[in-house]
Each structure stands twice: as structure tokens, then as C-alpha cells.
Amino acid sequence: MSVTVAGSPARAADPVPVTEMTAHYGFNGRSSSILDESGNGHTLRVIAVQGGRVRPVAHGPGSAIAFPAKCTRPVCPHVVLQSVDSTDLDPGTRDLAFGADVLLAPGQTSQGQNVLQKGYSTTGSQYKLQIDGAAGHPSCVLVGTRRSTIRVARSSVTAADGRWHRLRCQRTGTVLEVYVDDVARGRTTVPAGLSVSNGLPLSIGAKGAYRDNDQFNGILDNVWVRISR
């Protein structure tokens, strides 16, 4: 497996070309099951182990959802939100954008925390938004079905400063970019034929509920996926 990482100087954001909303979660309802506000039926179920749970917290006129705090014990609370139906969340080679509003404190960072993920880098294909390392820099990941090369666009700025940030990953043709508060903060190139298609659930807040799950340890709101027609 190989990894391709790239970055670029900040620049003003271009208009988002991907206009078809495929999934959206505002976390303003019950926490036992989370409805897809796009109307496409991608309801999330809460999967938790070792006492893991999510809880609603006030954010703007509505609410956001808080995940377990950072834990360094041998056994830690884990929780993930996973979609029930995910077939039309596979973009193939089409343009794709996905993102979330994120609040993460500096003391809550870790080696890697997953905000949003569909698929795995070692089996099939993947798209993912994560927050990397102690410095808390967001990054966007694409892995295609034919090759296991991990394409990463990593932000030059942190999102782990205890304030809300709007994060976005965007694949437009052969360019993958990461945006922080609507400013492009990193980019890399991807093959035109790179296809993401895996049939696996959309996972939010972790890649699973098992021990090595890249648990997110902050607060999320307005998680979304857009795939072009």
C-alpha cells in the first residue's frame, strides 16, 4: 500500500459544484436513531460498547452531538453512528463533497480521529474526513477500487482549538481538496478513473465500535454528503 499526501497554500474557496444532497444530519431529533434530513432515508443507528454514548448539546438554534472524551485506559468507551442503507452513497468516479461542523479541544486530539468515513483503505475503497495527530489538522482521503494507494489532502491549519470549524472535502475531477471555514487549505491530485464503490455503511464519529476505531472525541453538527448526478 502506498500513500500520496499533498498540500497547498490557502486560497479563497471556489463555489461548490456538487449540488445533489445525498445525506444530511443536523442531530436535532432523538439520539437513539438519527434521521437523514436530506429525505433519502439514510437513517443512522448508534452502535456503542464499553459504556460509550453520544449526547445532544446546544449549538445555534438547534443541537449538535458530543462523542466520548479522550481516553487512555486499556478499555475505553467507543461509539459510532452508522447508516442502515448505503448503496447510493457510493460515488464511483463522480464528483463528491462531504463535510461537517466540528468542535475539538486541543487536549482532545490523538493520532487520528474519524469524522466521516465510508469504506476501508485495505478492503475495496474509501472516502474519509479525519483529524490527524496532536496538532489536529483535518485531512481528506480517497482510495480507489483498483489500487490501494491512499490519496490524502491535508490541511495546513488546525481545527483543534476549542472553536467551531466548518470542514469540507471535495473531489472535483482529478483534484481532491480540504477546506477549513470555506478556505482551501490543502489539495492533491487523484486519477480521473479513481472509483469509490464498496457497499459499506457510512460511519460517523469512528470507523467502528471496536477497540481500534479512531474514535472522534469532540462535537459534530451538520454532517453531510453530496454526490453529483
Side-chain angles (χ1 to χ4, degrees):
M1 180 186 302
S2 58
V3 179
T4 301
V5 182
S8 66
R11 64 177 182 77
D14 294 326
V16 180
V18 184
T19 58
E20 186 70 15
M21 182 65 79
T22 311
H24 179 263
Y25 306 99
F27 305 118
N28 295 314
R30 296 177 300 140
S31 59
S32 57
S33 62
I34 298 169
L35 298 180
D36 172 14
E37 297 172 14
S38 74
N40 290 320
H42 302 297
T43 301
L44 300 175
R45 56 180 180 164
V46 181
I47 304 173
V49 297
Q50 304 297 337
R53 68 186 184 97
V54 291
R55 58 185 176 85
V57 296
H59 182 215
S63 62
I65 197 163
F67 287 81
K70 183 177 180 179
C71 169
T72 58
R73 301 190 302 270
V75 179
C76 294
H78 287 161
V79 62
V80 63
L81 314 180
Q82 287 192 331
S83 64
V84 177
D85 183 7
S86 62
T87 305
D88 66 344
L89 293 172
D90 285 332
T93 60
R94 292 174 291 172
D95 286 349
L96 166 72
F98 50 96
D101 295 346
V102 172
L103 188 151
L104 185 64
Q108 292 293 302
T109 58
S110 61
Q111 183 176 353
Q113 300 189 17
N114 285 6
V115 175
L116 178 159
Q117 172 174 331
K118 189 173 192 303
Y120 300 97
S121 61
T122 56
T123 56
S125 56
Q126 178 188 77
Y127 59 83
K128 178 169 66 171
L129 167 60
Q130 61 189 11
I131 296 182
D132 299 331
H137 287 233
S139 67
C140 302
V141 174
L142 284 182
V143 181
T145 56
R146 295 182 180 180
R147 298 184 62 182
S148 58
T149 301
I150 302 174
R151 315 276 176 174
V152 183
R154 182 164 290 129
S155 169
S156 59
V157 300
T158 185
D161 57 6
R163 297 181 294 177
W164 280 101
H165 293 284
R166 180 170 298 159
L167 307 184
R168 181 170 97 238
C169 299
Q170 186 167 311
R171 185 233 177 126
T172 308
T174 59
V175 177
L176 173 65
E177 293 181 292
V178 56
Y179 290 80
V180 179
D181 299 323
D182 297 321
V183 177
R185 294 292 187 176
R187 67 186 302 179
T188 191
T189 58
V190 300
L194 187 148
S195 177
V196 178
S197 182
N198 52 57
L200 295 172
L202 178 70
S203 297
I204 294 172
K207 62 183 178 183
Y210 37 86
R211 183 171 180 176
D212 179 24
N213 73 333
D214 294 336
Q215 183 69 58
F216 180 70
N217 298 131
I219 304 174
L220 295 179
D221 202 359
N222 298 316
V223 179
W224 56 274
V225 178
R226 293 177 182 264
I227 301 173
S228 68
R229 290 179 178 272

